[in-house]
Amino acid sequence: MPAAVTQITVILLLALLACTATTIVRMRDLWAAVMLTGIFSFLGACWMLILDAPDVAFTEAAVGAGIATVLMLGTLALTSREAKPPEHFPILPIAVVVMPGAALVFGTFDMPYFGDPFAPAHSHVMPEYMSDTVPDVRQIESHPGEPQDAHSDEHSDSQRNDSQDRGAHHGVGVPNIITAVLASYRGYDTLGETVVIFTAGIGVLLLLRGRRERRDVEEDGE
Amino acid sequence: MKQHSILRVVAKLLIPFILLFALYVQFHGDYGPGGGFQAGVIFAAGIVLYGLVFGLQAARNVAPPIVMERLIALGVLIYAGTGVAAMFCGGNFLDYSALEYSFLQGSLLERHLPHGQHLGILLVELGVGITVAAVMILIFFSFAGRERSR
Amino acid sequence: MKEILGLYNYWVVIFLMMTGFYIVIARRNLIKKVIGLSIFQISVFLLYITMGKVTGGTAPILPAKHFTTGEDFQTFSNPLPSVLILTAIVVGVATTALALALIVRIHEEYGTIEEDEILEQDREP
């Protein structure tokens, strides 16, 4: 039952995404364009949810439909709401866009089909992450190095140590593989991303802090 | 926004739950979908909603910019500090397993704390969450607190 | 038909990508350009996520029970694209904020956010 329903939902979502994008192109009212961008992010988040990426989906919903929209509206309030109409028919940009688009579509014919479990993307690195993240319980029970003739309390103790060692050496032991990969296997990468956010925050503060900052004390204004 | 009483009441109802959900996403990120990035953004969205409905000054009182500036750096410090702590425990930078052997095992805390990798992930995600939330809130403050020119 | 069903997701994503690209190069308004960039960005995110999907799989969180039958899932979608995109989204909004801050400063200096008017003002001595 759900497969066909999902398929129809996805097709509707994609059609909505395409409609929103084309509407944004034609929009000259920036206010409406910003709101449509928020809707676009939200639709994208819905599709990500269907594609089994709940973490990404609700980050995108919170960021794209929430904070980015608020920031763009804030910018509109500080600048202007209306874009100038284009002077002539944009034949050159259309050509520039259609050519790489056609090349990319041509390139997709070599891509693995949607949902293909044997796609190259799933064959490298990922299986090791998957199998290492949570130690397989059955594997521990039939561990060949287990002492067979030990006392019962010693036995359970060594088993506990063994499973701990497994957790420490091989696996991360966190059920959410995305979190495990993000924070542990790719910890350096995430540190770098955090520093990028830190730097961007400082950049915004440097650009917008200063003489024209609104004072909340009334008599300070001119 | 003083005259929109419906918005004010609904926002008042929603904001505590948004903040609570952010904390849930932060600290439950190892069992369910979630983590520092999401939690930081959701937390910031709660504060931004508060600022939009009740005014910028109210939001600034709740999340003082001077504290937020410190928190930006603190988050990165927690992240990198976890890595350095792992080094002091004898492992590589950001090798959380080292945390387990040198100070968790046999200590009083062992019973109350998750094992090495898990603890490292929680700490690191906390750092990410703090930085992301503080940066987003501060960016909102700087856009909203700017005066229109001309 | 099999090709259409197997590849349509890439085509839609490419269409969205090119729409964003078109906005960036054809529109003179700086805010419109940032909007175009963010559309481009979201379509790249979608491209990655759509490559991570495995048919019959579920979100890569262990142990996952089936919604109705209560059985454990054996197939999971690829978590790697999710990880890459998760960080990219938040970094993306931080850099968008930086771009918007630059636009605000440009508007304060030039009084306009239309690209050709800014260039005109630059050319005048």
Side-chain angles (χ1 to χ4, degrees), chain A residues 54-56 58-59 62-63 66-67 70-71 74-80 160-161 164-165 167-169 171-180 182-195 197-198 200-202 204-205 207-216 221-222, chain B residues 21 25 28-42 44-45 48 52 56-57 60 65 69 72-73 75-76 79-80 92-97 100-101 105 110 115 117-118 120-121 124-125 127-128 131-132 135-136 138-150:
Chain A
D55 295 72
V56 190
F58 73 85
T59 316
V63 164
I67 289 183
V70 169
L71 292 182
T75 317
L76 286 187
L78 292 173
T79 54
S80 70
R160 184 170 161 272
N161 274 340
Q164 263 190 356
D165 281 356
H169 278 307
V172 171
V174 167
N176 186 352
I177 305 176
I178 298 175
T179 305
L182 182 89
S184 187
Y185 293 108
R186 298 179 61 87
Y188 277 57
D189 188 42
T190 309
L191 176 60
E193 309 268 17
T194 314
V195 174
I197 294 166
F198 170 82
I202 298 219
V204 172
L205 284 184
L207 280 169
L208 292 187
R209 184 64 57 90
R211 56 201 155 88
R212 235 191 283 261
E213 194 172 3
R214 188 193 297 165
R215 294 265 164 265
D216 291 292
E222 293 138 72
Chain B
F21 181 62
V25 165
H28 202 257
D30 32 3
Y31 293 108
F37 286 99
Q38 296 94 322
V41 172
I42 294 172
V48 167
L52 286 178
L56 186 61
Q57 195 49 47
R60 274 192 177 148
E69 280 164 26
I72 293 182
V76 180
Y79 198 131
N92 290 323
F93 185 63
L94 289 176
D95 177 13
Y96 315 128
S97 308
E100 169 125 13
Y101 289 122
Q105 256 177 10
E110 192 183 3
H115 66 85
Q117 284 283 350
H118 201 153
I121 287 177
V124 156
E125 294 275 14
V128 171
T131 298
V132 170
V135 166
M136 294 299 154
L138 262 185
I139 288 176
F140 169 68
F141 283 170
S142 17
F143 273 95
R146 192 89 180 157
E147 230 168 36
R148 198 188 146 82
S149 63
R150 272 169 286 212

Side-chain angles (χ1 to χ4, degrees), chain C residues 31-52:
Chain C
I31 291 181
K32 206 68 191 287
K33 274 180 196 283
V34 172
I35 290 176
L37 265 183
S38 71
I39 288 178
F40 201 138
Q41 207 176 25
I42 294 165
S43 12
V44 173
F45 299 159
L46 290 173
L47 176 69
Y48 269 70
I49 299 295
T50 184
M51 283 198 284

Side-chain angles (χ1 to χ4, degrees), chain B:
Chain B
M1 279 274 180
K2 288 242 158 49
Q3 63 275 42
H4 295 289
S5 42
I6 294 178
L7 275 182
R8 290 167 71 90
V9 170
V10 171
K12 231 175 214 172
L13 277 176
L14 276 180
I15 287 167
F17 290 104
I18 295 175
L19 298 184
L20 199 63
F21 181 62
L23 292 176
Y24 167 77
V25 165
Q26 170 81 55
F27 294 109
H28 202 257
D30 32 3
Y31 293 108
F37 286 99
Q38 296 94 322
V41 172
I42 294 172
F43 196 88
I47 302 280
V48 167
L49 178 63
Y50 188 76
L52 286 178
V53 175
F54 295 95
L56 186 61
Q57 195 49 47
R60 274 192 177 148
N61 291 340
V62 171
I66 189 113
V67 177
M68 292 295 123
E69 280 164 26
R70 306 292 187 276
L71 285 182
I72 293 182
L74 179 72
V76 180
L77 197 68
I78 290 177
Y79 198 131
T82 310
V84 175
M87 279 170 83
F88 277 122
C89 293
N92 290 323
F93 185 63
L94 289 176
D95 177 13
Y96 315 128
S97 308
L99 293 174
E100 169 125 13
Y101 289 122
S102 42
F103 103 116
L104 273 186
Q105 256 177 10
S107 73
L108 282 173
L109 288 172
E110 192 183 3
R111 224 171 256 271
H112 305 288
L113 284 177
H115 66 85
Q117 284 283 350
H118 201 153
L119 177 69
I121 287 177
L122 279 177
L123 284 174
V124 156
E125 294 275 14
L126 181 65
V128 171
I130 289 175
T131 298
V132 170
V135 166
M136 294 299 154
I137 291 170
L138 262 185
I139 288 176
F140 169 68
F141 283 170
S142 17
F143 273 95
R146 192 89 180 157
E147 230 168 36
R148 198 188 146 82
S149 63
R150 272 169 286 212

